[in-house]
Amino acid sequence: MRLTHCQAALAAACTLNFLVFIYFSWLQHQPRNSRTRGPRRASATGPRVTVLIREFEAFDNSVPELVDSFLQQDPAQPIVVAADTLPYPPLALPRIPNVRLALLQPALDRPAAASRPETYVATEFVALVPDGARAESPGQLERMVEVLRAGSARLVAAPVATANPARCLALNISLREWTARYGPAPAAPRCDALDGDAVVLLRARDLFNLSAPLARPLTTSLFLQSALRGWAVQLLDLTFAAAQQPPLATAHARWKAEREGRARRAALLRSLGIRLVSWEGRRLEWFGCSKESARCFGTVAGDTPAYLYEGRWTPPCCLRALRETARYVVGVLEAAGVRYWLEGGSLLGAARHGDIIPWDYDVDLGIYLEDVGNCEQLRGAEAGSVVDERGFVWEKAVEGDFFRVQYSESNHLHVDLWPFYPRNGVMTKDTWLDHRQDVEFPEHFLQPLVPLPFAGFVAQAPNNYRRFLELKFGPGVIENPEYPNPALLSLTGG
């Protein structure tokens, strides 16, 4: 039987529909990842770097020019502009999907993820680009990626051709001492940190694993955190151009930016637990307690300050204030003819290394009770608190029958003055606080007193102070340092 043309066409159509049905049924039973493999291969050829712009001033910036310069090199370049709050005046950013504004301060009307910067980054790498830079030639970010992939540094950087291009620095951080020390990099262009303007590229997972990935000032924060982890940065022989219309062109804008930058930097260092920055040439910057502020730690329980539990020692600003107070008090006592001597942990610090013990939180001096009347400040303290012409506060301690000199009315770092008197050749006192050094001792240790370097000056100390200290604390106390209350917390961690 012969088929007509119509019958043949109908059979072919049925066969095609059957094959299409078979194909789609097979496709529905394939794993999801195998069905999306094609698009994944296509996306892998796209941008590998997100440009992240964080360091700019809302009131005066070149961010639109910066964004446009990268889009000219690659219209699909992912760009994130990150700010704490909505910039004002508003930024003139292109309204395209690959340019996004990230507001990092949580808000009631936005989900939690909206304030997390990693929400906006889907690439393997991030380039932190400062305001005032611009992309002028194609492929710069890709070249940085290749260097990062090929080397052992965790960050690579390219200077920006501004008046302050980046240079290499060494950076050593001691959290225990609350200190960051900068110096010349011994192996530039590999270094610990940069000073100046640079584009910094690193893996997104590294950036967002930092505790404060986008804290400002951005490079200060970034290198403090990366150097502490032992990550090196490599400064490349690759330069980004400066903006054609640089930000902060007026004197007023520069003044405002410098003022706000200093405030941000001080707040950052305090939040990260850095109280002292040492620069090249031994220039020091202090961030912490002053006469106008409260001290850096609260009430001490069990002779063990809170910072010891954090693995830190006394903040350097507090040690500086204690040295200043001790020197001043000793000067007043000597001028008044009050016999005094280094007591307790202060004498131990002087004997051990000529200074306050690095984890101590006050200074102790013994005085002769009969000499109290010789000193105007101590006589005044008998009746109530006295603030002298230097702002130091002299008072009777509330804990017992002894005197306390505080650094200021706001800052209660202090020197304690313990009045002793002789009884049958033994020095004793009326108030005992169950401290380890609270023991009586023969008066011959004070006859005569001897000079001993302490905290940057020379103080009076008991003669044969080794035997004196071993009487108070036990044998070998100078050679075997320990925290004040090892039953609560031991220096050795035991």
Side-chain angles (χ1 to χ4, degrees):
M1 172 179 164
R2 299 183 64 182
L3 295 174
T4 65
H5 289 294
C6 289
Q7 289 172 325
L10 180 61
C14 290
T15 301
L16 179 62
N17 284 336
F18 179 73
L19 292 173
V20 170
F21 172 77
I22 292 294
Y23 171 74
F24 278 104
S25 296
W26 172 82
L27 188 63
Q28 289 294 325
H29 288 84
Q30 297 306 300
R32 183 175 297 274
N33 60 356
S34 67
R35 298 204 303 268
T36 60
R37 200 171 289 157
R40 280 193 177 181
R41 284 198 298 269
S43 65
T45 64
R48 294 188 289 175
V49 183
T50 295
V51 169
L52 201 156
I53 304 166
R54 170 63 166 150
E55 200 60 70
F56 67 94
E57 302 294 349
F59 57 83
D60 189 336
N61 61 75
S62 297
V63 170
E65 179 188 340
L66 193 164
V67 170
D68 183 61
S69 72
F70 278 96
L71 293 178
Q72 286 182 22
Q73 307 303 321
D74 180 1
Q77 173 65 59
I79 299 175
V80 176
V81 180
D84 294 316
T85 57
L86 189 65
Y88 181 83
L91 294 172
L93 299 177
R95 298 190 177 186
I96 55 177
N98 51 301
V99 177
R100 305 184 70 183
L101 177 63
L103 304 182
L104 304 181
Q105 184 171 297
L108 290 173
D109 59 345
R110 291 189 289 121
S115 60
R116 294 197 291 265
E118 58 267 33
T119 301
Y120 302 86
V121 176
T123 57
E124 183 181 358
F125 302 94
V126 175
L128 304 173
V129 184
D131 190 21
R134 70 189 312 271
E136 202 169 48
S137 59
Q140 289 177 297
L141 295 180
E142 283 300 316
R143 290 200 292 277
M144 295 178 74
V145 167
E146 296 310 317
V147 174
L148 185 64
R149 282 190 180 280
S152 58
R154 296 287 283 267
L155 309 92
V156 296
V160 180
T162 62
N164 186 32
R167 64 187 182 95
C168 261
L169 293 174
L171 173 57
N172 179 268
I173 300 167
S174 173
L175 288 181
R176 188 176 69 179
E177 298 173 327
W178 310 69
T179 300
R181 297 179 177 89
Y182 291 88
R190 260 179 92 91
C191 46
D192 303 315
L194 300 176
D195 179 32
D197 300 323
V199 174
V200 181
L201 183 134
L202 70 164
R203 287 177 173 82
R205 68 169 182 265
D206 284 345
L207 175 64
F208 296 124
N209 275 332
L210 299 176
S211 59
L214 295 186
R216 296 182 68 189
L218 183 58
T219 53
T220 301
S221 166
L222 174 67
F223 293 126
L224 283 171
Q225 296 175 86
S226 62
L228 187 62
R229 289 160 174 79
W231 299 355
V233 55
Q234 183 176 349
L235 186 59
L236 306 181
D237 187 16
L238 169 71
T239 302
F240 279 80
Q244 294 177 344
Q245 295 184 336
L248 310 176
T250 67
H252 177 74
R254 289 192 296 273
W255 169 82
K256 187 175 180 181
E258 289 171 4
R259 183 191 63 180
E260 296 190 6
R262 284 194 301 270
R264 278 194 294 265
R265 185 165 174 270
L268 169 74
L269 292 170
R270 290 190 181 98
S271 70
L272 295 181
I274 300 296
R275 295 288 185 266
L276 176 62
V277 176
S278 174
W279 288 98
E280 297 172 89
R282 298 186 178 181
R283 180 173 66 89
L284 301 179
E285 286 186 285
W286 298 88
F287 300 90
C289 46
S290 66
K291 275 189 176 287
E292 291 72 36
S293 68
R295 70 181 183 184
C296 298
F297 56 94
T299 301
V300 176
D303 296 329
T304 307
Y307 51 77
L308 291 183
Y309 291 101
E310 299 170 6
R312 294 173 180 259
W313 289 352
T314 309
C317 51
C318 296
L319 291 173
R320 181 178 66 161
L322 283 174
R323 293 185 187 106
E324 181 183 344
T325 307
R327 177 193 291 267
Y328 177 72
V329 170
V330 163
V332 171
L333 296 179
E334 289 180 344
V338 175
R339 289 167 291 174
Y340 75 92
W341 59 95
L342 292 169
E343 258 291 344
S346 299
L347 178 61
L348 184 55
R352 191 176 286 155
H353 47 244
D355 201 355
I356 299 170
I357 294 175
W359 52 83
D360 209 351
Y361 54 89
D362 64 5
V363 170
D364 291 312
L365 299 177
I367 60 174
Y368 270 87
L369 177 61
E370 63 187 271
D371 293 346
V372 167
N374 297 342
C375 178
E376 178 184 354
Q377 290 88 337
L378 292 177
R379 290 198 308 271
E382 294 271 18
S385 181
V386 174
V387 182
D388 67 20
E389 69 279 359
R390 293 277 299 277
F392 294 93
V393 181
W394 299 69
E395 60 187 10
K396 211 54 176 306
V398 297
E399 300 96 320
D401 191 19
F402 62 98
F403 298 93
R404 177 163 289 162
V405 185
Q406 300 190 63
Y407 187 46
S408 73
E409 291 182 279
S410 301
N411 191 325
H412 294 171
L413 288 162
H414 58 264
V415 172
D416 284 336
L417 303 174
W418 300 92
F420 283 83
Y421 56 90
R423 186 174 58 190
N424 299 323
V426 174
M427 298 299 291
T428 188
K429 57 190 176 80
D430 291 333
T431 294
W432 304 92
L433 298 182
D434 198 28
H435 293 159
R436 292 172 65 196
Q437 67 268 27
D438 266 359
V439 297
E440 298 177 325
F441 60 91
E443 189 179 12
H444 67 71
F445 282 109
L446 309 180
Q447 298 173 343
L449 294 166
V450 298
L452 192 63
F454 176 70
F457 62 98
V458 176
Q460 295 297 306
N463 62 72
N464 203 344
Y465 51 80
R466 173 179 289 275
R467 285 186 57 195
F468 183 88
L469 286 168
E470 291 187 344
L471 172 67
K472 296 240 174 184
F473 294 102
V477 65
I478 297 177
E479 293 77 17
N480 299 290
E482 186 52 272
Y483 285 158
N485 191 344
L488 284 180
L489 187 67
S490 173
L491 176 62
T492 59

